[in-house]
Amino acid sequence: MHSSVRSHRGRSRSIRTFWGVQLNPLRNTKPGSRGPESPSFSARKGHPIVEVTARRVVEGEIRGHFITNTPVRPWLLDEEYQFSPSGRPFIPPPGQPIMFESTSFTSPIYAKLPLHGTHQLHNLSLSLTVISTLIAHPPARSALRQSDLSDHSRNGSILDPPVVLVDGAHNAASAETLASYISELVGRLNPGSKLHITYVLALSCSPPKTPFDTLSPILSGHGSQNSVTKVRIATLRFTPPDDMPWVTSVPPTEIRDTVRHLIRLGDEDVWTAPNDLPVNCQLQRALEWTEAGHAEHDEGKLVVVTGSLYLVADFYRLLEVLRGPSIPCPDPSLAIAD
């Protein structure tokens, strides 16, 4: 038996746009990249043709086992939670109560897990389906040794003040997921409360995807004058990844202009990284600007670092630096002309 477990998950619209008419060949190729008798798991899909094509290739051409994931169902607990980022100690949102039933287990599994957003239920369904299949079919256990299944949590948060939500949303689909989660948090605010949200944004240049495509789902919901949220924006570049010269940042001024098209903001609510500020200092400067603005308000404050996985990487690198000896970034205003 070929030891290989493969999962198929939905692709973002930007990826589908990139592949265009090559979607069918892609779906023919990926399921066929494992050997005979291999288990192949299918998760929730945006296009029916994905499952149809994968099933045909797995069952008809490579004689594998095509398994559709068993859904995880949420269940309600009598638990009150109000989101208060200014509360000390900060209390993060409670986990999602879930139930999972499988013939591999003698009774349903009930758990409360720190997986926020409905998209995490789809990821969890796939993972639990793989586990229950391995339990029910012992020969498949060896597949774990070469498994390429990986489901990491999308939303990370740093719980020391200020509250920072870190999310790698970099296309319309993932931006919609992030917007939904933020909306859920806003809905859990104390009655009469307001929330000051600062979005720290960097985007990669990857046509035909545009900054509008990615930012519209996140920012459009803040356009109401009666909104309980007050929004500020910082735009910057991320550190270019090594040995990937084709990965470039969208100019911060272009992100700023897109933001202004989506939501009305005063000049004092927008920070744009200067062209002469070193890239490896831009995130730190953006967070310093954010902190200075938050100091003017007593209400709840939330920082959202998003737009690119490369920016997320910058954030965690900066976090490690700040935990060590302080190394100040140069101040571009002190630069001396040649």
Side-chain angles (χ1 to χ4, degrees):
M1 173 180 174
H2 180 74
S3 297
S4 156
V5 173
R6 188 66 62 95
S7 67
H8 308 288
R9 291 180 294 183
R11 297 293 178 185
S12 69
R13 283 193 289 272
S14 61
I15 294 296
R16 292 198 298 269
T17 301
F18 175 80
W19 284 102
V21 295
Q22 298 186 35
L23 177 64
N24 287 354
L26 175 65
R27 295 309 179 184
N28 281 327
T29 302
K30 189 171 181 181
S33 60
R34 65 200 55 61
E37 300 300 319
S38 299
S40 181
F41 300 87
S42 177
R44 176 176 175 265
K45 292 299 177 185
H47 290 279
I49 192 174
V50 173
E51 182 172 329
V52 172
T53 304
R55 182 184 294 275
R56 174 179 57 78
V57 173
V58 170
E59 296 181 342
E61 298 182 14
I62 65 172
R63 303 184 308 282
H65 303 285
F66 187 86
I67 301 167
T68 302
N69 71 310
T70 303
V72 166
R73 295 182 175 84
W75 58 287
L76 298 178
L77 287 176
D78 292 331
E79 183 176 19
E80 291 290 334
Y81 172 77
Q82 290 181 322
F83 179 60
S84 178
S86 59
R88 295 293 175 262
F90 172 71
I91 301 175
Q96 285 203 76
I98 62 96
M99 180 188 72
F100 179 76
E101 293 183 285
S102 169
T103 55
S104 300
F105 306 105
T106 57
S107 60
I109 295 176
Y110 292 91
K112 189 167 69 169
L113 303 174
L115 302 174
H116 303 293
T118 55
H119 64 286
Q120 292 289 16
L121 297 184
H122 302 305
N123 293 340
L124 181 61
S125 295
L126 179 60
S127 300
L128 289 176
T129 300
V130 171
I131 293 170
S132 60
T133 300
L134 294 174
I135 292 173
H137 304 282
R141 291 176 186 167
S142 61
L144 286 175
R145 289 196 296 270
Q146 296 184 23
S147 171
D148 66 356
L149 173 63
S150 178
D151 278 308
H152 300 292
S153 175
R154 282 181 44 81
N155 303 118
S157 58
I158 306 303
L159 303 184
D160 292 330
V163 177
V164 181
L165 174 64
V166 184
D167 191 291
H170 58 282
N171 53 43
S174 53
E176 288 170 3
T177 298
L178 173 60
S180 175
Y181 179 62
I182 293 175
S183 178
E184 179 182 329
L185 292 179
V186 171
R188 290 177 174 269
L189 289 169
N190 291 320
S193 297
K194 279 192 170 292
L195 181 63
H196 294 263
I197 304 179
T198 301
Y199 289 96
V200 179
L201 304 171
L203 303 173
S204 60
C205 185
S206 52
K209 179 180 66 176
T210 67
F212 183 89
D213 295 334
T214 302
L215 298 179
S216 178
I218 299 173
L219 299 178
S220 295
H222 295 300
S224 171
Q225 292 184 348
N226 298 323
S227 175
V228 299
T229 58
K230 166 70 173 176
V231 174
R232 304 173 81 233
I233 301 289
T235 68
L236 61 150
R237 296 179 186 270
F238 54 74
T239 304
D242 294 338
D243 301 320
M244 298 174 67
W246 60 89
V247 177
T248 59
S249 299
V250 173
T253 53
E254 183 177 345
I255 302 175
R256 178 200 62 199
D257 293 344
T258 301
V259 167
R260 290 191 180 280
H261 182 74
L262 288 167
I263 185 172
R264 182 176 298 177
L265 294 173
D267 291 341
E268 70 279 6
D269 295 324
V270 179
W271 181 87
T272 303
N275 289 331
D276 56 355
L277 181 63
V279 172
N280 62 344
C281 289
Q282 293 189 10
L283 178 56
Q284 182 174 342
R285 281 280 184 265
L287 293 175
E288 290 170 353
W289 173 82
T290 297
E291 185 177 18
H294 282 178
E296 302 173 2
H297 305 282
D298 296 327
E299 296 174 298
K301 310 171 190 69
L302 175 67
V303 183
V304 181
V305 178
T306 191
S308 170
L309 290 168
Y310 302 113
L311 178 63
V312 170
D314 280 348
F315 176 82
Y316 284 108
R317 279 193 291 265
L318 176 60
L319 203 60
E320 289 301 313
V321 170
L322 295 179
R323 286 170 176 164
S326 178
I327 303 176
C329 282
D331 187 340
S333 65
L334 301 179
I336 301 175
D338 293 334

